Each structure stands twice: as structure tokens, then as C-alpha cells.
Amino acid sequence: MDSSLTSRRLRQLIRWLTAAAAGFTVITAIPARADLIDERNEMVAKFINEMHADPLVADCAAHGAFVASTSNVIDRVVFPPESFDNAHASIKPWNDSFDEGKQRVKVDNIVTVPGQGIAKDKDHAPYALSFRCGYVGPQMLAFSWNDPVPAAKPRSEHSTRKGKSKHGSKQGAKRSTRKSTAQ
């Protein structure tokens, strides 16, 4: 009886420690997220106020800079002043799907803005980057860019072998069964 009470107290202590550790993780993650949002907002304000960018172009550029900074080959993204002029950046009315892939969401405007990816490898020339964002009003719903290191091809969800349906059964076998019962 004494050992069951001890093991119950030990389990309670472990649960308490686990909950405390989880709470600590959440508490420390919130300021980090807030810092990223603050940095992004500062970048958007800088592009608008100092480089005279349209707010949608500034938003797309800031998002692109953040995404590109997660690349294995890009240290940071810079936007020369001409990146935000009408000859380089654009906002096009769209009213269609952003793309034909996973981001088939309908958007009202497509924003494109060029930038330069400064390579982590100091001997490599900067990468010419192009960021494309899809918006409905002021809200970005889709994003793409010309990542110099494309992601690995995702595995197909369904079998693509001839004669197989998406559930893996042979279509030919179903047809032949139907024909044989019809005769």
C-alpha cells in the first residue's frame, strides 16, 4: 500500500513538472513571436516611409524577406531602392486563382517585387529573387518565390501506376468482373 501511494505521488509530480515545462515553453515562445511581428511591421514601415513603396508591395517584400531568410543558402534579403518603383514592382488586378497548384485560392491582386538574396557562402554572387503575393483586400492569402534551392518533390498521395485507382484496387479487375456477370 505504501508503494502505491509513493508511485501515485511520483506520477503527480511528473505531471506537474511536465505541465510546468510546457507552460514555460509557451511563455518563452510568445515574446519571440511578438519580436518577429514587430520586426516585420518595422520593415513594412521602412519600405513605405523611406523607400516610398506601396503598402501591398512593402508587405509582400517583408514577407519574402522573412521566408527567404529561412533558406539554407540565403543569409538575408536586400531590396535596392529601384525594387519598389513601378518598373520593377507591380500590383495587378487578378480576380482568379493564385496558381494551379496547392494555392488555388482566388485573389483580387497579384503583387510582384524583386530582391537580392545575399548568399551565406561569401564567394557566391547574390541571388536574383522574385516574390509573388496574392491578396484579397489588404490580406495576403498566397505566396511564392523563386527559391534557389527548390524543395524536394512531395510524395504523391495516390498511386500513379497504370491500372490502379486512387484507393489501390485494380480498375481492370472491376471491369472484367462486371463484364463476366453481364454475360
Side-chain angles (χ1 to χ4, degrees), residues 38-69:
D38 289 343
E39 285 178 34
R40 185 179 184 283
N41 290 341
E42 287 173 13
M43 187 180 292
V44 169
K46 176 186 172 194
F47 293 156
I48 292 171
N49 297 327
E50 295 176 21
M51 301 177 115
H52 310 291
D54 180 275
L56 290 182
V57 173
D59 184 68
C60 185
H63 186 75
F66 171 75
V67 171
S69 71

Side-chain angles (χ1 to χ4, degrees), residues 7 23 29 44-45 67 70 79 88 93 100 105 127 153 166 170:
S7 64
V44 169
V67 171
T70 65
F79 294 95
H88 294 92
E100 295 302 318
V105 63
Y127 296 98
K153 271 190 162 181
K166 67 181 180 179
K170 288 190 177 182

Side-chain angles (χ1 to χ4, degrees), residues 69-82:
S69 71
T70 65
S71 169
N72 292 334
V73 297
I74 296 174
D75 182 49
R76 68 186 187 287
V77 177
V78 295
F79 294 95
E82 63 270 10

Side-chain angles (χ1 to χ4, degrees), residues 50-160:
E50 295 176 21
M51 301 177 115
H52 310 291
D54 180 275
L56 290 182
V57 173
D59 184 68
C60 185
H63 186 75
F66 171 75
V67 171
S69 71
T70 65
S71 169
N72 292 334
V73 297
I74 296 174
D75 182 49
R76 68 186 187 287
V77 177
V78 295
F79 294 95
E82 63 270 10
S83 291
F84 300 108
D85 65 24
N86 291 337
H88 294 92
S90 68
I91 301 173
K92 293 181 183 174
W94 197 251
N95 197 25
D96 202 357
S97 295
F98 181 74
D99 66 20
E100 295 302 318
K102 290 182 180 180
Q103 299 186 77
R104 284 187 283 257
V105 63
K106 186 177 177 182
V107 296
D108 296 336
N109 291 301
I110 297 282
V111 174
T112 56
V113 60
Q116 291 182 340
I118 306 303
K120 287 182 180 179
D121 176 7
K122 302 304 178 202
D123 295 332
H124 195 282
Y127 296 98
L129 303 177
S130 178
F131 303 106
R132 185 173 177 256
C133 305
Y135 289 87
V136 172
Q139 184 175 10
M140 182 190 310
L141 297 182
F143 174 80
S144 66
W145 69 300
N146 61 330
D147 188 350
V149 182
K153 271 190 162 181
R155 287 182 21 178
S156 175
E157 292 180 24
H158 304 295
S159 174
T160 57

